[in-house]
């Protein structure tokens, strides 16, 4: 039994680290190419703007590909569907939902996007399984690209705290957690 638990822990750690490194690779590639672009075109012009937009599109695409892989892996890890009925005790983040939101806001990196609004509202849902693992984030908002970067932020912070699973009749069960989000953009 201990060997199985150890293997499960190692698999979970490797999976989580692999996802974060995919995002880091995309960030690194974007920054490297952006620096080269700025070295080539030090003054803003139409060509630099167009090429910078293409770099941004590449970064967004890389994030979405990493998220697709992460979602497929998370679906394999979800052992039971969350109950559709109300549970006796909701899943809880060990430091509180507001602390989780604060961590998430800190991990969302959207400075490179030229977003037209001052703020962005979305809703994040994810599963907390009966073991307390946070899995499979889904963000609903008006912009798919921003949603993808919020989901990526979830993977960056998911191991920075513990979730206590929901309980029903005194037993831990899988449940869906919903968190409203409001991001403010710097102009």
């Amino acid at each position: 039994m201990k060997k199985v638990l150890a293997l499960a822990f190692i698999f979970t750690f490797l999976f989580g680290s692999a996802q974060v490194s995919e995002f880091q690779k995309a960030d690194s590639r974007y920054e490297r190419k952006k620096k080269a672009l700025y070295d080539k075109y030090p003054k803003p012009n139409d060509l630099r703007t167009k090429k910078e937009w293409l770099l941004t599109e590449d970064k967004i695409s890389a994030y979405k590909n990493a998220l697709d892989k992460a979602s497929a892996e998370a679906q394999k890890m979800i052992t039971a569907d969350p109950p559709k009925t109300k549970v006796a005790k909701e899943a809880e983040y060990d430091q509180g939902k507001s602390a989780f939101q604060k961590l998430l806001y800190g991990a969302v990196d959207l400075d490179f996007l030229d977003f037209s609004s001052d703020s962005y509202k979305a809703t994040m849902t994810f599963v907390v399984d009966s073991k307390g693992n946070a899995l499979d984030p889904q963000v609903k908002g008006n912009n798919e690209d921003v949603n993808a970067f919020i989901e990526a932020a979830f993977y960056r912070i998911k191991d920075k705290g513990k979730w206590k699973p929901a309980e029903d009749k005194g037993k831990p069960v899988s449940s869906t957690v919903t968190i409203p989000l409001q991001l403010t953009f710097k102009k």
Side-chain angles (χ1 to χ4, degrees):
M1 182 66 173
K2 289 182 181 178
K3 290 180 181 179
V4 171
L5 288 174
L7 281 173
F9 176 75
I10 290 169
F11 176 73
T12 302
F13 176 77
L14 290 174
F15 169 69
S17 298
Q19 295 312 313
V20 171
S21 69
E22 288 295 318
F23 301 126
Q24 289 170 338
K25 285 179 190 175
D27 290 341
S28 175
R29 191 171 40 251
Y30 172 80
E31 290 301 326
R32 190 176 60 250
K33 288 182 176 182
K34 183 177 172 186
K35 183 182 180 320
L37 181 65
Y38 279 37
D39 288 346
K40 187 173 182 177
Y41 303 102
K43 294 182 180 178
N45 61 42
D46 289 342
L47 183 59
R48 183 176 102 171
T49 302
K50 181 179 178 182
K51 288 185 179 230
E52 191 171 0
W53 177 250
L54 292 172
L55 289 177
T56 301
E57 288 293 317
D58 286 345
K59 182 176 179 175
I60 291 168
S61 179
Y63 265 61
K64 287 182 178 180
N65 289 338
L67 288 169
D68 288 344
K69 290 177 190 175
S71 181
E73 289 296 321
Q75 291 300 322
K76 293 177 190 174
M77 293 177 70
I78 297 174
T79 55
D81 289 332
K84 303 293 183 214
T85 59
K86 187 91 171 143
V87 293
K89 185 178 175 188
E90 296 290 326
E92 297 175 356
Y93 188 65
D94 61 357
Q95 300 165 19
K97 278 189 181 179
S98 62
F100 181 79
Q101 283 176 310
K102 188 175 180 180
L103 269 174
L104 187 66
Y105 291 152
V108 176
D109 178 19
L110 298 171
D111 292 340
F112 71 98
L113 284 179
D114 186 19
F115 203 66
S116 61
S117 176
D118 290 338
S119 66
Y120 184 75
K121 289 183 181 182
T123 303
M124 173 183 272
T125 58
F126 55 94
V127 173
V128 175
D129 71 6
S130 60
K131 295 177 179 103
N133 299 311
L135 307 165
D136 198 28
Q138 304 291 317
V139 177
K140 301 286 185 225
N142 293 332
N143 186 306
E144 284 185 38
D145 297 339
V146 174
N147 295 347
F149 283 87
I150 295 170
E151 288 177 23
F154 171 88
Y155 285 104
R156 285 188 171 111
I157 67 159
K158 77 178 205 150
D159 294 328
K160 293 190 179 192
K162 300 283 182 194
W163 282 89
K164 294 178 191 173
E167 291 183 9
D168 193 33
K169 299 177 186 167
K171 295 187 178 195
V173 295
S174 294
S175 67
T176 301
V177 175
T178 302
I179 297 180
L181 303 171
Q182 176 146 358
L183 299 164
T184 304
F185 298 102
K186 299 172 189 170
K187 292 256 178 189

